[in-house]
Amino acid sequence: ADLEQVAPELPCKLDLTGAEGTRAEYVGYPLFDGFLKGEGVEHLAGPLDTEQQVFRPVQLTLIPDHCPDVRAALEGLRHCEHCCVLLSYQRRQVRNANLHIAAAVHHLITRALPVPLAPGHPRIDSCIWHTADIRHETQLEILRLLLSLSRLYAAAVLSLPPTRSLESSRLITCAAMAAVADRVIRLRASDIPSLLCLHLEASAPPSGTFLQ
């Protein structure tokens, strides 16, 4: 009884009855009947052939041989990721796709991209990773591309038969990618520097926890 007193009154019932007592009506849009296609179109696609699928060409020549600045390095990373993704999706059409992926990433990381120099190096002023003036989105894009290439490279190189030269190439490539990623993280963006970058260079603003 208490619940009946507290419950609010329900709204009135909505009457959707149409003309002449019909419960529902269908009114088509005029002049739209020409858009209806009653016949099927599946026969136009033809039979599915899994061996002869659509092939997207992979232009490995887009990967540069040298990156003189950060902009060229970013373009090289994008081209390399695009080629590696196409190769990974077309293993049936491209022979030795894993070997091509491993070779492309190894070439870009160890030959095209300059390795970051140590802070006390005498030629530190000529290193693009120390003198670069980048924005926050460029920093994030480089890190994203390095992460994507590291995954593609790991999946490809671990699918190849292990040899001594392949193991050494894998170690050098992974170490070079880690060095570039470490240096890019430490770059202070010109517009909005990240807190991680500020923490790594010990210039982040103190928080309330450390002030207590």
mmCIF file of all heavy atoms in Angstrom, residues 42-75:
data_model
loop_
_atom_site.group_PDB
_atom_site.id
_atom_site.type_symbol
_atom_site.label_atom_id
_atom_site.label_comp_id
_atom_site.label_asym_id
_atom_site.label_seq_id
_atom_site.Cartn_x
_atom_site.Cartn_y
_atom_site.Cartn_z
ATOM 1 N N GLU A 42 25.180 -11.506 -56.788
ATOM 2 C CA GLU A 42 26.270 -12.370 -56.362
ATOM 3 C C GLU A 42 26.973 -13.013 -57.552
ATOM 4 O O GLU A 42 28.180 -13.290 -57.488
ATOM 5 C CB GLU A 42 25.730 -13.454 -55.416
ATOM 6 C CG GLU A 42 25.211 -12.924 -54.091
ATOM 7 C CD GLU A 42 26.304 -12.284 -53.259
ATOM 8 O OE1 GLU A 42 27.465 -12.701 -53.413
ATOM 9 O OE2 GLU A 42 25.995 -11.372 -52.481
ATOM 10 N N HIS A 43 26.240 -13.258 -58.631
ATOM 11 C CA HIS A 43 26.857 -13.906 -59.784
ATOM 12 C C HIS A 43 27.872 -13.004 -60.485
ATOM 13 O O HIS A 43 28.717 -13.484 -61.248
ATOM 14 C CB HIS A 43 25.772 -14.346 -60.783
ATOM 15 C CG HIS A 43 25.022 -13.189 -61.380
ATOM 16 N ND1 HIS A 43 24.008 -12.526 -60.704
ATOM 17 C CD2 HIS A 43 25.139 -12.564 -62.583
ATOM 18 C CE1 HIS A 43 23.523 -11.559 -61.462
ATOM 19 N NE2 HIS A 43 24.192 -11.557 -62.599
ATOM 20 N N LEU A 44 27.791 -11.707 -60.250
ATOM 21 C CA LEU A 44 28.740 -10.784 -60.880
ATOM 22 C C LEU A 44 30.122 -10.845 -60.244
ATOM 23 O O LEU A 44 31.106 -10.447 -60.877
ATOM 24 C CB LEU A 44 28.194 -9.352 -60.785
ATOM 25 C CG LEU A 44 26.840 -9.097 -61.463
ATOM 26 C CD1 LEU A 44 26.400 -7.663 -61.223
ATOM 27 C CD2 LEU A 44 26.908 -9.402 -62.948
ATOM 28 N N ALA A 45 30.211 -11.302 -59.009
ATOM 29 C CA ALA A 45 31.504 -11.360 -58.330
ATOM 30 C C ALA A 45 32.376 -12.482 -58.855
ATOM 31 O O ALA A 45 33.606 -12.398 -58.816
ATOM 32 C CB ALA A 45 31.298 -11.529 -56.818
ATOM 33 N N GLY A 46 31.786 -13.540 -59.351
ATOM 34 C CA GLY A 46 32.563 -14.663 -59.854
ATOM 35 C C GLY A 46 32.993 -15.591 -58.739
ATOM 36 O O GLY A 46 32.829 -15.300 -57.542
ATOM 37 N N PRO A 47 33.589 -16.699 -59.078
ATOM 38 C CA PRO A 47 34.016 -17.661 -58.056
ATOM 39 C C PRO A 47 35.218 -17.144 -57.270
ATOM 40 O O PRO A 47 36.047 -16.384 -57.784
ATOM 41 C CB PRO A 47 34.372 -18.907 -58.870
ATOM 42 C CG PRO A 47 34.751 -18.369 -60.220
ATOM 43 C CD PRO A 47 33.869 -17.176 -60.443
ATOM 44 N N LEU A 48 35.321 -17.560 -56.009
ATOM 45 C CA LEU A 48 36.412 -17.162 -55.139
ATOM 46 C C LEU A 48 37.592 -18.092 -55.350
ATOM 47 O O LEU A 48 37.470 -19.314 -55.209
ATOM 48 C CB LEU A 48 35.974 -17.197 -53.669
ATOM 49 C CG LEU A 48 37.049 -16.871 -52.626
ATOM 50 C CD1 LEU A 48 37.573 -15.456 -52.828
ATOM 51 C CD2 LEU A 48 36.500 -17.044 -51.215
ATOM 52 N N ASP A 49 38.727 -17.516 -55.711
ATOM 53 C CA ASP A 49 39.951 -18.283 -55.915
ATOM 54 C C ASP A 49 40.965 -17.832 -54.874
ATOM 55 O O ASP A 49 41.483 -16.718 -54.936
ATOM 56 C CB ASP A 49 40.493 -18.056 -57.332
ATOM 57 C CG ASP A 49 41.623 -19.020 -57.674
ATOM 58 O OD1 ASP A 49 42.041 -19.777 -56.777
ATOM 59 O OD2 ASP A 49 42.084 -19.005 -58.830
ATOM 60 N N THR A 50 41.230 -18.677 -53.915
ATOM 61 C CA THR A 50 42.134 -18.306 -52.827
ATOM 62 C C THR A 50 43.586 -18.212 -53.266
ATOM 63 O O THR A 50 44.406 -17.574 -52.609
ATOM 64 C CB THR A 50 42.019 -19.322 -51.678
ATOM 65 O OG1 THR A 50 42.311 -20.640 -52.187
ATOM 66 C CG2 THR A 50 40.619 -19.318 -51.095
ATOM 67 N N GLU A 51 43.923 -18.864 -54.382
ATOM 68 C CA GLU A 51 45.304 -18.837 -54.839
ATOM 69 C C GLU A 51 45.610 -17.590 -55.673
ATOM 70 O O GLU A 51 46.751 -17.165 -55.752
ATOM 71 C CB GLU A 51 45.609 -20.101 -55.647
ATOM 72 C CG GLU A 51 45.483 -21.385 -54.850
ATOM 73 C CD GLU A 51 46.481 -21.441 -53.706
ATOM 74 O OE1 GLU A 51 47.558 -20.833 -53.847
ATOM 75 O OE2 GLU A 51 46.173 -22.100 -52.691
ATOM 76 N N GLN A 52 44.614 -17.039 -56.326
ATOM 77 C CA GLN A 52 44.810 -15.859 -57.165
ATOM 78 C C GLN A 52 44.077 -14.673 -56.551
ATOM 79 O O GLN A 52 43.067 -14.207 -57.047
ATOM 80 C CB GLN A 52 44.310 -16.136 -58.586
ATOM 81 C CG GLN A 52 45.017 -17.267 -59.286
ATOM 82 C CD GLN A 52 46.465 -16.927 -59.597
ATOM 83 O OE1 GLN A 52 46.831 -15.757 -59.765
ATOM 84 N NE2 GLN A 52 47.301 -17.947 -59.683
ATOM 85 N N GLN A 53 44.566 -14.193 -55.442
ATOM 86 C CA GLN A 53 43.956 -13.061 -54.771
ATOM 87 C C GLN A 53 44.516 -11.755 -55.332
ATOM 88 O O GLN A 53 45.482 -11.738 -56.097
ATOM 89 C CB GLN A 53 44.188 -13.156 -53.265
ATOM 90 C CG GLN A 53 43.527 -14.373 -52.626
ATOM 91 C CD GLN A 53 43.767 -14.420 -51.138
ATOM 92 O OE1 GLN A 53 44.452 -13.574 -50.587
ATOM 93 N NE2 GLN A 53 43.196 -15.409 -50.486
ATOM 94 N N VAL A 54 43.884 -10.660 -54.912
ATOM 95 C CA VAL A 54 44.315 -9.344 -55.374
ATOM 96 C C VAL A 54 45.705 -9.043 -54.804
ATOM 97 O O VAL A 54 45.943 -9.182 -53.601
ATOM 98 C CB VAL A 54 43.308 -8.264 -54.957
ATOM 99 C CG1 VAL A 54 43.790 -6.899 -55.397
ATOM 100 C CG2 VAL A 54 41.938 -8.565 -55.555
ATOM 101 N N PHE A 55 46.599 -8.653 -55.657
ATOM 102 C CA PHE A 55 47.974 -8.370 -55.243
ATOM 103 C C PHE A 55 48.206 -6.870 -55.240
ATOM 104 O O PHE A 55 47.929 -6.180 -56.216
ATOM 105 C CB PHE A 55 48.968 -9.039 -56.193
ATOM 106 C CG PHE A 55 50.404 -8.644 -55.919
ATOM 107 C CD1 PHE A 55 51.057 -9.089 -54.795
ATOM 108 C CD2 PHE A 55 51.073 -7.808 -56.797
ATOM 109 C CE1 PHE A 55 52.363 -8.722 -54.535
ATOM 110 C CE2 PHE A 55 52.374 -7.434 -56.559
ATOM 111 C CZ PHE A 55 53.024 -7.896 -55.426
ATOM 112 N N ARG A 56 48.705 -6.376 -54.112
ATOM 113 C CA ARG A 56 49.094 -4.973 -53.982
ATOM 114 C C ARG A 56 50.615 -4.884 -54.103
ATOM 115 O O ARG A 56 51.337 -5.527 -53.344
ATOM 116 C CB ARG A 56 48.649 -4.415 -52.628
ATOM 117 C CG ARG A 56 47.162 -4.460 -52.397
ATOM 118 C CD ARG A 56 46.429 -3.456 -53.247
ATOM 119 N NE ARG A 56 46.849 -2.101 -52.939
ATOM 120 C CZ ARG A 56 46.422 -1.029 -53.592
ATOM 121 N NH1 ARG A 56 45.587 -1.166 -54.602
ATOM 122 N NH2 ARG A 56 46.824 0.166 -53.246
ATOM 123 N N PRO A 57 51.126 -4.131 -55.061
ATOM 124 C CA PRO A 57 52.584 -4.070 -55.237
ATOM 125 C C PRO A 57 53.269 -3.436 -54.035
ATOM 126 O O PRO A 57 52.744 -2.519 -53.409
ATOM 127 C CB PRO A 57 52.753 -3.211 -56.498
ATOM 128 C CG PRO A 57 51.487 -2.419 -56.601
ATOM 129 C CD PRO A 57 50.405 -3.294 -56.033
ATOM 130 N N VAL A 58 54.441 -3.944 -53.735
ATOM 131 C CA VAL A 58 55.240 -3.466 -52.604
ATOM 132 C C VAL A 58 56.467 -2.755 -53.163
ATOM 133 O O VAL A 58 57.351 -3.385 -53.754
ATOM 134 C CB VAL A 58 55.661 -4.629 -51.689
ATOM 135 C CG1 VAL A 58 56.419 -4.101 -50.477
ATOM 136 C CG2 VAL A 58 54.434 -5.432 -51.248
ATOM 137 N N GLN A 59 56.512 -1.454 -52.988
ATOM 138 C CA GLN A 59 57.608 -0.644 -53.540
ATOM 139 C C GLN A 59 58.649 -0.427 -52.452
ATOM 140 O O GLN A 59 58.620 0.562 -51.711
ATOM 141 C CB GLN A 59 57.069 0.686 -54.066
ATOM 142 C CG GLN A 59 58.092 1.473 -54.883
ATOM 143 C CD GLN A 59 57.493 2.720 -55.502
ATOM 144 O OE1 GLN A 59 56.277 2.945 -55.416
ATOM 145 N NE2 GLN A 59 58.317 3.534 -56.128
ATOM 146 N N LEU A 60 59.576 -1.355 -52.366
ATOM 147 C CA LEU A 60 60.615 -1.275 -51.345
ATOM 148 C C LEU A 60 61.607 -0.147 -51.603
ATOM 149 O O LEU A 60 62.355 0.236 -50.691
ATOM 150 C CB LEU A 60 61.355 -2.608 -51.249
ATOM 151 C CG LEU A 60 60.523 -3.796 -50.734
ATOM 152 C CD1 LEU A 60 61.327 -5.084 -50.819
ATOM 153 C CD2 LEU A 60 60.057 -3.549 -49.307
ATOM 154 N N THR A 61 61.629 0.371 -52.821
ATOM 155 C CA THR A 61 62.557 1.471 -53.127
ATOM 156 C C THR A 61 62.144 2.777 -52.449
ATOM 157 O O THR A 61 62.933 3.741 -52.460
ATOM 158 C CB THR A 61 62.635 1.683 -54.644
ATOM 159 O OG1 THR A 61 61.310 1.874 -55.171
ATOM 160 C CG2 THR A 61 63.261 0.479 -55.316
ATOM 161 N N LEU A 62 60.935 2.827 -51.867
ATOM 162 C CA LEU A 62 60.545 4.027 -51.127
ATOM 163 C C LEU A 62 61.324 4.177 -49.822
ATOM 164 O O LEU A 62 61.415 5.284 -49.286
ATOM 165 C CB LEU A 62 59.047 3.985 -50.826
ATOM 166 C CG LEU A 62 58.100 4.106 -52.026
ATOM 167 C CD1 LEU A 62 56.652 3.938 -51.568
ATOM 168 C CD2 LEU A 62 58.284 5.445 -52.718
ATOM 169 N N ILE A 63 61.873 3.093 -49.323
ATOM 170 C CA ILE A 63 62.668 3.168 -48.091
ATOM 171 C C ILE A 63 63.981 3.860 -48.413
ATOM 172 O O ILE A 63 64.741 3.413 -49.281
ATOM 173 C CB ILE A 63 62.911 1.763 -47.528
ATOM 174 C CG1 ILE A 63 61.577 1.063 -47.264
ATOM 175 C CG2 ILE A 63 63.735 1.831 -46.249
ATOM 176 C CD1 ILE A 63 61.716 -0.366 -46.796
ATOM 177 N N PRO A 64 64.302 4.962 -47.760
ATOM 178 C CA PRO A 64 65.495 5.739 -48.131
ATOM 179 C C PRO A 64 66.778 5.033 -47.705
ATOM 180 O O PRO A 64 66.782 4.130 -46.858
ATOM 181 C CB PRO A 64 65.293 7.056 -47.374
ATOM 182 C CG PRO A 64 64.481 6.681 -46.185
ATOM 183 C CD PRO A 64 63.563 5.584 -46.633
ATOM 184 N N ASP A 65 67.873 5.483 -48.317
ATOM 185 C CA ASP A 65 69.197 4.990 -47.944
ATOM 186 C C ASP A 65 69.866 5.860 -46.891
ATOM 187 O O ASP A 65 70.827 5.416 -46.246
ATOM 188 C CB ASP A 65 70.101 4.929 -49.185
ATOM 189 C CG ASP A 65 69.610 3.896 -50.187
ATOM 190 O OD1 ASP A 65 68.997 2.897 -49.757
ATOM 191 O OD2 ASP A 65 69.832 4.096 -51.401
ATOM 192 N N HIS A 66 69.365 7.081 -46.720
ATOM 193 C CA HIS A 66 69.949 7.986 -45.725
ATOM 194 C C HIS A 66 68.887 8.983 -45.295
ATOM 195 O O HIS A 66 68.099 9.458 -46.116
ATOM 196 C CB HIS A 66 71.163 8.723 -46.299
ATOM 197 C CG HIS A 66 71.759 9.716 -45.347
ATOM 198 N ND1 HIS A 66 72.305 9.353 -44.124
ATOM 199 C CD2 HIS A 66 71.882 11.066 -45.424
ATOM 200 C CE1 HIS A 66 72.740 10.433 -43.498
ATOM 201 N NE2 HIS A 66 72.495 11.485 -44.269
ATOM 202 N N CYS A 67 68.861 9.283 -44.020
ATOM 203 C CA CYS A 67 67.904 10.247 -43.459
ATOM 204 C C CYS A 67 68.690 11.384 -42.819
ATOM 205 O O CYS A 67 69.212 11.243 -41.702
ATOM 206 C CB CYS A 67 67.002 9.567 -42.423
ATOM 207 S SG CYS A 67 66.018 8.199 -43.078
ATOM 208 N N PRO A 68 68.791 12.515 -43.502
ATOM 209 C CA PRO A 68 69.617 13.603 -42.959
ATOM 210 C C PRO A 68 68.967 14.385 -41.834
ATOM 211 O O PRO A 68 69.648 15.108 -41.114
ATOM 212 C CB PRO A 68 69.855 14.492 -44.181
ATOM 213 C CG PRO A 68 68.656 14.255 -45.052
ATOM 214 C CD PRO A 68 68.265 12.832 -44.839
ATOM 215 N N ASP A 69 67.639 14.292 -41.676
ATOM 216 C CA ASP A 69 66.968 15.040 -40.624
ATOM 217 C C ASP A 69 65.802 14.211 -40.098
ATOM 218 O O ASP A 69 65.523 13.104 -40.557
ATOM 219 C CB ASP A 69 66.495 16.404 -41.132
ATOM 220 C CG ASP A 69 65.684 16.297 -42.433
ATOM 221 O OD1 ASP A 69 65.241 15.178 -42.763
ATOM 222 O OD2 ASP A 69 65.506 17.313 -43.112
ATOM 223 N N VAL A 70 65.109 14.779 -39.116
ATOM 224 C CA VAL A 70 64.012 14.058 -38.471
ATOM 225 C C VAL A 70 62.838 13.872 -39.427
ATOM 226 O O VAL A 70 62.150 12.840 -39.390
ATOM 227 C CB VAL A 70 63.582 14.805 -37.194
ATOM 228 C CG1 VAL A 70 62.370 14.140 -36.555
ATOM 229 C CG2 VAL A 70 64.723 14.853 -36.199
ATOM 230 N N ARG A 71 62.595 14.853 -40.284
ATOM 231 C CA ARG A 71 61.494 14.721 -41.238
ATOM 232 C C ARG A 71 61.728 13.566 -42.192
ATOM 233 O O ARG A 71 60.809 12.774 -42.477
ATOM 234 C CB ARG A 71 61.322 16.025 -42.010
ATOM 235 C CG ARG A 71 60.174 15.997 -43.003
ATOM 236 C CD ARG A 71 60.003 17.333 -43.692
ATOM 237 N NE ARG A 71 58.892 17.314 -44.647
ATOM 238 C CZ ARG A 71 58.529 18.357 -45.376
ATOM 239 N NH1 ARG A 71 59.187 19.518 -45.265
ATOM 240 N NH2 ARG A 71 57.520 18.245 -46.220
ATOM 241 N N ALA A 72 62.941 13.444 -42.704
ATOM 242 C CA ALA A 72 63.255 12.323 -43.588
ATOM 243 C C ALA A 72 63.186 10.994 -42.832
ATOM 244 O O ALA A 72 62.766 9.973 -43.394
ATOM 245 C CB ALA A 72 64.638 12.513 -44.197
ATOM 246 N N ALA A 73 63.580 11.002 -41.564
ATOM 247 C CA ALA A 73 63.484 9.786 -40.762
ATOM 248 C C ALA A 73 62.035 9.370 -40.561
ATOM 249 O O ALA A 73 61.697 8.173 -40.624
ATOM 250 C CB ALA A 73 64.176 9.995 -39.417
ATOM 251 N N LEU A 74 61.160 10.341 -40.330
ATOM 252 C CA LEU A 74 59.744 10.037 -40.166
ATOM 253 C C LEU A 74 59.151 9.469 -41.453
ATOM 254 O O LEU A 74 58.373 8.490 -41.421
ATOM 255 C CB LEU A 74 58.993 11.294 -39.739
ATOM 256 C CG LEU A 74 57.487 11.163 -39.514
ATOM 257 C CD1 LEU A 74 57.178 10.138 -38.448
ATOM 258 C CD2 LEU A 74 56.879 12.509 -39.147
ATOM 259 N N GLU A 75 59.503 10.049 -42.590
ATOM 260 C CA GLU A 75 59.005 9.529 -43.867
ATOM 261 C C GLU A 75 59.535 8.125 -44.130
ATOM 262 O O GLU A 75 58.811 7.253 -44.633
ATOM 263 C CB GLU A 75 59.402 10.473 -44.997
ATOM 264 C CG GLU A 75 58.726 11.839 -44.935
ATOM 265 C CD GLU A 75 59.180 12.753 -46.053
ATOM 266 O OE1 GLU A 75 60.081 12.339 -46.826
ATOM 267 O OE2 GLU A 75 58.654 13.888 -46.159
#
